[in-house]
Amino acid sequence: MFRSLSVKNYRIWFIGALVSNVGAWMQATAQNWVVLTELSDTNAIAVGVTMALQFGPQLLLVPFSGAVADRFDRRRVLMITQSLLMLLACGLGVLLVSGVAELWHLYAFALALGIVNAFDTPARQAFVSDLVGNEQLSNAVALNSASFNSARLIGPAVAGVLIAIMGSGWVFILNSASFIAMLIALMLIKVPRAPRQVSGRESQGNQLVAGFKYVVRRHDLVVIFLIVFVIGAFGMNFPVFSSTMAVEFGRGAGEYGVLSSILAIGSLTGALLVAKRPAARLRTVVIAAGGFGMASLISALMPTFWSFAVTLVLLGFCTATLLSTANAFVQTTTDPMVRGRVLSLYFAILMGGTPLGAPIVGAISDAFGARWGLGVAALSGFIAFAIGLGWLIVERQLRVHIGDRGKLTFTHAGRPDVDAAPQPQAETLTAPLSVLKRGPVILSEPNSAPQSGALSEGLTGPISILRDETESDPGEDTNMPKKGDEER
């Protein structure tokens, strides 16, 4: 489960990110509570607008942020973005402590935060591939999610206590100090500098178009992008849900922080289970989308604060399973030459939908009650599940066969014969191997790394891509390191 931590650079990164993430969750909790209760009269729309300003730049800047992650030294990019985030947190904290902060200050802060994060997120995600090998990348992505959700378990609860004792401004100031851990980690990490594998003959515009064209050709990636857009826009508005439900149950900042921490219990569990799996599978993303819809519906029907809090564990579990698996699938099946741009597009779609969905969900919560906002989240989960299942049935020819004694057998484009014995296949459930650039993989225990061998029923695993499809040798084992792997 923790095999990526055997890499020294990744261990340093993991520790620095954990400390910084605790501070970030403290700040996120304080920001939403300040907007809802201190700078507005429990106005859920104001929370939605804040989220829209914070995540809008993720979509608008995608043509530039992904190119920056691909073309420049990611470590230096992160040094700059993390320093800017530290200064922003400190500045808003001073305004709040001095008592001069107004709602427009929070809006401006959220917008600036979104602009910096638009460049920080794809660089931070792609930087992980610079720290670990391709075979450990899926595990490292899942451990990143585990770190993120471990911090989510601690940060909101601490923030709730600090808001009640010291005031919200000090939470922002403490978060600015937490960035020091990340900056120290970045200075300690030593990654051999290698030229990015992007052709100098291509113009900037052609490089950006290449990233979009790559995604369009990959229908499996298009399905994942649609799923995360629908749920990201209308389902993952947790600041709106948690804050408005806490107010509806007559609770304060402390209980609001507890809700966020309880949500993180399920999120951490989901992320750790993804880390145990040898590979990310698209089918897991589809199932998790349906689970998200059901968990949201159950949460909306809970009659008491604590029964609602308990259901957040399931909601967090489904959310982390969906996001960790989708993230790992995108990273491990994308050509490294366009990985930064594809990741930038992925996160732009995931978080860029928030400017559309968050104000709508906030308005619905204001007009009809907080539970109806959760109802919208449930609907988004069911729609996302239908998109994934429909694609598997129509394009990938997924079928269920009931045999003797009720035994269920699944067939698909890669295994069309119900009586076929497990053997090397040309296609998985989600795509041809020539598209995914995978060599054969053995089904093994969840805590084992994928190995060369016979492919069994659509297993999805980490890959190594350094050449175009037209340059690949069909008989070559694509799991073997290629020239340039040691330089990345």
Side-chain angles (χ1 to χ4, degrees):
M1 180 188 297
F2 302 103
R3 56 187 178 274
S4 298
L5 294 176
S6 62
V7 180
K8 180 181 178 181
N9 280 338
Y10 184 75
R11 283 200 306 273
I12 297 172
W13 168 265
F14 185 87
I15 294 171
L18 179 61
V19 175
S20 183
N21 283 335
V22 170
W25 275 112
M26 291 169 56
Q27 174 177 285
T29 303
Q31 173 184 310
N32 298 320
W33 192 254
V34 166
V35 171
L36 185 69
T37 64
E38 296 182 21
L39 300 180
S40 73
D41 186 18
T42 62
N43 188 342
I45 296 179
V47 178
V49 170
T50 303
M51 293 178 64
L53 291 170
Q54 183 170 333
F55 295 115
Q58 302 279 346
L59 181 61
L60 298 177
L61 296 176
V62 61
F64 311 102
S65 57
V68 168
D70 279 336
R71 292 180 60 86
F72 295 97
D73 184 344
R74 292 163 185 158
R75 178 174 167 273
R76 292 187 178 181
V77 171
L78 290 172
M79 291 286 288
I80 294 171
T81 57
Q82 293 291 303
S83 298
L84 291 174
L85 291 173
M86 178 177 66
L87 294 175
L88 285 172
C90 184
L92 184 58
V94 170
L95 288 177
L96 288 167
V97 169
S98 61
V100 299
E102 298 180 9
L103 185 58
W104 73 267
H105 289 132
L106 265 294
Y107 286 164
F109 168 78
L111 179 61
L113 191 67
I115 292 173
V116 177
N117 275 328
F119 292 93
D120 181 82
T121 300
R124 179 158 32 89
Q125 294 293 326
F127 187 59
V128 175
S129 66
D130 295 338
L131 302 180
V132 299
N134 283 321
E135 289 190 353
Q136 296 180 336
L137 181 55
S138 183
N139 177 258
V141 170
L143 287 182
N144 273 359
S145 180
S147 168
F148 185 75
N149 287 294
S150 297
R152 190 178 190 176
L153 186 65
I154 302 169
V158 173
V161 174
L162 292 178
I163 291 172
I165 296 176
M166 304 172 60
S168 55
W170 288 104
V171 177
F172 287 86
I173 293 175
L174 288 174
N175 175 52
S176 69
S178 74
F179 283 101
I180 296 175
M182 178 60 83
L183 292 173
I184 292 175
L186 289 170
M187 287 187 288
L188 292 176
I189 291 173
K190 304 299 181 184
V191 178
R193 186 174 181 180
R196 297 292 174 219
Q197 299 184 37
V198 179
S199 174
R201 294 172 295 178
E202 288 186 300
S203 68
Q204 178 77 357
N206 287 339
Q207 293 166 16
L208 298 177
V209 171
F212 284 97
K213 286 183 176 179
Y214 180 86
V215 173
V216 171
R217 291 196 304 267
R218 290 280 305 277
H219 291 180
D220 52 340
L221 293 185
V222 172
V223 170
I224 282 186
F225 283 22
L226 286 173
I227 288 174
V228 299
F229 173 78
V230 172
I231 293 183
F234 300 101
M236 295 181 186
N237 297 296
F238 300 124
V240 176
F241 304 146
S242 297
S243 59
T244 54
M245 288 296 284
V247 171
E248 178 163 316
F249 286 120
R251 306 297 176 130
E255 289 85 353
Y256 167 54
V258 168
L259 287 180
S260 297
S261 294
I262 291 176
L263 182 70
I265 295 175
S267 299
L268 178 59
T269 303
L272 290 175
L273 288 179
V274 171
K276 286 187 65 177
R277 299 188 186 106
R281 306 184 188 188
L282 191 148
R283 72 187 75 171
T284 304
V285 177
V286 176
I287 294 172
F292 178 89
M294 184 59 65
S296 298
L297 181 61
I298 294 172
S299 296
L301 299 176
M302 290 298 102
T304 66
F305 174 83
W306 289 111
S307 61
F308 169 73
V310 169
T311 63
L312 292 183
V313 176
L314 177 60
L315 186 59
F317 175 81
C318 294
T319 302
T321 300
L322 189 154
L323 293 183
S324 296
T325 307
N327 187 342
F329 186 88
V330 171
Q331 290 212 46
T332 58
T333 65
T334 297
D335 190 324
M337 291 188 293
V338 294
R339 183 177 287 154
R341 280 161 282 177
V342 172
L343 282 172
S344 181
L345 179 61
Y346 168 77
F347 285 105
I349 289 174
L350 172 62
M351 292 182 278
T354 302
L356 171 66
I360 293 175
V361 173
I364 290 174
S365 299
D366 270 345
F368 303 103
R371 297 179 188 276
W372 283 97
L374 281 165
V376 173
L379 182 61
S380 73
F382 295 139
I383 291 175
F385 174 76
I387 290 172
L389 183 61
W391 178 75
L392 290 174
I393 293 174
V394 174
E395 181 166 334
R396 301 305 301 162
Q397 303 172 25
L398 176 64
R399 301 292 185 269
V400 180
H401 305 271
I402 303 178
D404 297 337
R405 300 179 182 178
K407 180 181 178 181
L408 298 180
T409 305
F410 296 89
T411 60
H412 51 80
R415 188 169 180 257
D417 188 356
V418 69
D419 297 321
Q423 58 184 340
Q425 301 167 193
E427 300 189 32
T428 69
L429 169 63
T430 57
L433 289 174
S434 60
V435 173
L436 298 180
K437 289 284 189 178
R438 290 203 177 86
V441 179
I442 288 179
L443 270 176
S444 55
E445 293 300 318
N447 58 352
S448 300
Q451 303 173 39
S452 297
L455 179 67
S456 179
E457 202 169 343
L459 179 64
T460 302
I463 49 137
S464 175
I465 317 170
L466 292 177
R467 295 179 294 177
D468 293 332
E469 292 178 26
T470 56
E471 300 174 326
S472 296
D473 181 357
E476 183 178 356
D477 184 353
T478 53
N479 273 342
M480 295 296 294
K482 299 182 179 62
K483 182 179 179 181
D485 274 2
E486 297 81 8
E487 297 177 347
R488 287 190 60 79

